[in-house]
Amino acid sequence: MSSRRTLRSTAGALSESCQIQKSAAATPARATRPRRNKHSFPEPEGENGEAHRRLSAKPSTPNPKRARLASTKSPQNISAEAHPRIGELRTIYSTGDIDDATPPPFPPDRPAEPHQTNAPLNTPGGSRLITYSAETLNCSPSKTGIPRPTTTTTQLLEQACAHLIKADPRLKPIVEKHHCHVFSPQGLAEVIDPFQSLSSGIIAQQVSGAAAKSIKNKFISLFNENNVEGEPQKPWAFPKPVQVAACNTSFLRQAGLSERKAEYIKGLAEQFANGNLSAEMLIKASDEEVLEKLIAVRGLGKWSVEMFACFGLKRMDVFSTGDLGVQKGLALFMGKDVKKLKAKGGKWKYMSELDMLNNSAKFAPYR
């Protein structure tokens, strides 16, 4: 009896469902409207509607557990990709650093001189120095020790290219094809931190670019505390010389540095902390004095200092005779058979140092 009653009720439900489906197919569907209570108002259209939706969106609260886990990351796991604040330290037009980012906006014109530092330099105290300040320009060279400027930052590269082409017209197609970003007005506007640039150079010695970047990021993380939840986010900064000089090498090695490199960077930091090296010295010194002062620091060889003087300080008459790439390039330019010379071996296999200096003399002071 009960089974019959169940069958009848099921059949009735199916019949009613079929009738509903038929009526739904016969009549066009009407657009449904969202239900609203008696206190709601129509949502505005256009730009006002978009603003209304943004304001009425529910605020999202970060997961406390996720925030705690993020704050406990060890320095070994920190990278520029994982931590955007480290990425802020990059500056790709670079030159004086192993990292590069984007060129700065077109800068104002200022005096320049091929044999002087043409890059603005940061000091550990946060100030910024340039070679030809208003005070320098108002004093005689005998007082400042700095020669008078012969050009400006917007004309320096143009004059250099004209000089090179005049010295040897064969350079014209090469100069026109390969624009020199380093000494362009944008490149000359790049602000250099001498301690950061030289330390980065030491970190990059004898390792790949990816390894150097990873070690540098870990090194930076050692001196930057984790931000406190709920407080404004602080950008990560490269440590100051005084901070590094106060650390022992075992602490610095946590970044992945070898014992020798940790000693080099600590020694470099001590030189800046005690005043033997400074941004002011690098501004006033001649090309020869820059090489002499920096090569005296452990961990900085002649080639490293030459690269810093050229790409960091933006000094234009830096000619690295010990660089195999420079040797080979000059040998090719002079018509030598570099394939045969390569098999010769030795430091000066492509060209002797004396020959390099003699053949490049006509390009000074833009070598």
Side-chain angles (χ1 to χ4, degrees), residues 126-172:
S127 60
R128 186 170 297 175
L129 299 179
I130 58 174
T131 301
Y132 294 105
S133 62
E135 182 180 357
T136 304
L137 292 172
N138 290 330
C139 294
S140 65
S142 59
K143 289 185 178 180
T144 62
I146 300 174
R148 291 288 185 190
T150 57
T151 185
T152 65
T153 52
T154 56
Q155 298 174 350
L156 183 61
L157 180 58
E158 183 180 347
Q159 291 183 2
C161 293
H163 177 84
L164 295 176
I165 294 171
K166 183 179 180 181
D168 196 322
R170 291 179 297 167
L171 284 174
K172 184 176 181 180

Side-chain angles (χ1 to χ4, degrees), residues 107-124:
D109 198 15
R110 55 187 172 83
E113 163 61 33
H115 284 292
Q116 294 301 128
T117 295
N118 293 299
L121 302 184
N122 271 343
T123 68

